Amino acid sequence: MKTSIIEKENINKKIHPRLRLVLKIFLIVLVSAGLVTAIVIPVKKHFDSKLTVKSIVKLWDVYDYQAIYENGKAFLQKDPYNNTVLTIYGYACFFLAESQNETTQTQDYLNECITSLRMALYDANSSLLPQIQYMLGKAYFHKNKSNSYYYSDLAIKYLNLAKKNGCKEKDIAQYLGISYANLGMSELSIAAFSEALAIRDSPSLLLSIAEQYYNIQNYDIAEQYLFRLIKTNEDDDILLKSKLLLAKIYTDKGDYDTALKEYEQILEVYENSADAYYGIGCIYEKQQNIVKARTQWRKALKIQVNHPGAQKKLSIY
């Protein structure tokens, strides 16, 4: 049976209000989307226009490394090969790394620093190249603080390149001396430390040179540096290390009586020196008196429970 005209009109009256409501909602959504687009795009363009090389350089001028890090990262997402920003961003990462207390954060910043500066090297102005190489060498040097000495070779590579290309930073020689020492390259380390000593006389440098001469068993020259330190230095830490190394030299030379007196003098002033007790134990070991040696090594462990030398000796005997 066909639907009557009146019934159709009644159905249409029921449907049309719903359609009108749907159409109204649809129109509101379209208008809203248009308004959002009209607002968001200009705002985005406004902020993007603020993010320029010039704006990042201005942040560098006021030492705002955190802002450089945040703005530089955003800028490099749009222009990843901009040499100026790569360089400034790398420097900022280095200085942020130095200010961190947690090793993980330090390493993260150093990794970003290295990546950024290595990219900057490819298109660096010749006048800026030595400074970038210098900063890259320092970044690799500082990575060693928590990664053993795995990066010493790269620190040496870039620091030497910086030096060769005219970088005049005064701490290059000291960084090189430490890096060479890390790799067991004592003669090169001595040369670098001696160069650093000519720039700035420092007790820590004198001790480092003495340690390297000890490593190549040039005891006479090592002693000369140590005597100089012991006579003129007032820093307790340097003084203790110098006396311990001197006693160790006497032990290695077989002058046990002089070595023992040196250790005893150390303990008169530094009664909690685990290294002194360990050294005395080593003297007794060389004299085949293992009972006395073990007693001294136990004293060392009582002061420093994780003393590596004493732990190793007691595991053997």
Side-chain angles (χ1 to χ4, degrees):
M1 182 176 181
K2 293 183 179 180
T3 306
S4 67
I5 295 173
I6 295 173
E7 287 174 336
K8 286 182 179 179
E9 288 178 355
N10 290 334
I11 291 170
N12 287 335
K13 285 179 182 179
K14 291 178 181 179
I15 294 173
H16 290 168
R18 293 177 185 175
L19 286 173
R20 284 195 295 271
L21 179 61
V22 171
L23 287 171
K24 284 181 181 179
I25 293 172
F26 182 70
L27 288 171
I28 290 170
V29 170
L30 284 176
V31 171
S32 299
L35 288 172
V36 169
T37 302
I39 294 170
V40 169
I41 290 177
V43 169
K44 185 176 185 302
K45 286 182 178 179
H46 171 73
F47 282 105
D48 285 349
S49 65
K50 293 282 187 181
L51 200 60
T52 63
V53 175
K54 188 176 180 179
S55 70
I56 293 172
V57 171
K58 283 184 178 179
L59 293 172
W60 175 257
D61 290 338
V62 295
Y63 312 106
D64 193 344
Y65 303 129
Q66 188 61 46
I68 293 170
Y69 179 77
E70 294 167 1
N71 286 274
K73 185 183 285 288
F75 184 96
L76 290 170
Q77 288 178 348
K78 299 187 303 174
D79 186 359
Y81 301 108
N82 185 286
N83 192 270
T84 301
V85 177
L86 280 170
T87 302
I88 293 174
Y89 181 76
Y91 289 176
C93 287
F94 177 84
F95 292 119
L96 287 171
E98 284 195 318
S99 67
Q100 301 306 307
N101 294 320
E102 293 185 12
T103 301
T104 302
Q105 290 179 331
T106 298
Q107 291 300 313
D108 287 344
Y109 279 123
L110 286 174
N111 288 336
E112 290 193 64
C113 167
I114 288 168
T115 299
S116 187
L117 292 183
R118 289 193 69 154
M119 291 178 67
L121 281 178
Y122 287 104
D123 193 32
N125 186 291
S126 59
S127 63
L128 297 176
L129 187 62
Q131 189 67 25
I132 296 174
Q133 291 167 334
Y134 165 72
M135 290 296 290
L136 192 52
K138 284 181 68 173
Y140 277 121
F141 176 88
H142 285 287
K143 274 187 72 65
N144 282 326
K145 290 183 178 179
S146 60
N147 286 279
S148 186
Y149 303 136
Y150 299 147
Y151 298 94
S152 292
D153 57 337
L154 288 167
I156 290 168
K157 173 185 175 179
Y158 286 105
L159 289 170
N160 273 324
L161 282 171
K163 186 178 178 182
K164 179 181 177 182
N165 289 323
C167 184
K168 302 297 183 183
E169 297 291 345
K170 294 181 179 180
D171 55 2
I172 289 179
Q174 186 166 356
Y175 282 125
L176 283 171
I178 296 170
S179 298
Y180 283 129
N182 289 342
L183 297 177
M185 304 168 74
S186 293
E187 292 183 356
L188 289 172
S189 178
I190 290 168
F193 280 136
S194 298
E195 183 181 336
L197 193 64
I199 297 170
R200 179 178 62 89
D201 195 340
S202 161
S204 62
L205 283 172
L206 289 170
L207 179 58
S208 296
I209 293 171
E211 289 171 340
Q212 295 309 309
Y213 275 116
Y214 170 80
N215 288 342
I216 60 174
Q217 298 182 350
N218 194 330
Y219 298 140
D220 291 339
I221 297 181
E223 284 181 50
Q224 291 175 24
Y225 281 99
L226 294 172
F227 287 144
R228 177 179 169 184
L229 277 168
I230 292 168
K231 185 178 180 180
T232 61
N233 183 62
E234 296 181 355
D235 184 288
D236 282 343
D237 184 57
I238 298 290
L239 194 59
L240 175 58
K241 288 178 179 177
S242 299
K243 286 179 171 292
L244 286 168
L245 183 55
L246 186 60
K248 195 173 180 181
I249 288 172
Y250 291 142
T251 302
D252 288 353
K253 290 169 68 174
D255 189 353
Y256 303 138
D257 291 339
T258 305
L260 189 58
K261 286 179 183 178
E262 195 68 40
Y263 280 127
E264 288 171 349
Q265 289 176 7
I266 290 170
L267 289 170
E268 287 177 5
V269 181
Y270 308 97
E271 60 184 61
N272 289 322
S273 174
D275 288 331
Y277 284 114
Y278 170 73
I280 294 172
C282 291
I283 292 173
Y284 287 133
E285 177 193 21
K286 289 179 180 295
Q287 294 175 331
Q288 305 299 312
N289 194 335
I290 302 304
V291 174
K292 283 189 175 181
R294 286 174 60 84
T295 299
Q296 299 301 315
W297 294 330
R298 288 196 189 99
K299 288 180 180 179
L301 287 178
K302 189 174 181 180
I303 296 169
Q304 183 182 335
V305 294
N306 62 341
H307 190 284
Q311 285 181 331
K312 184 177 181 180
K313 292 293 186 183
L314 288 171
S315 70
I316 296 171
Y317 296 105

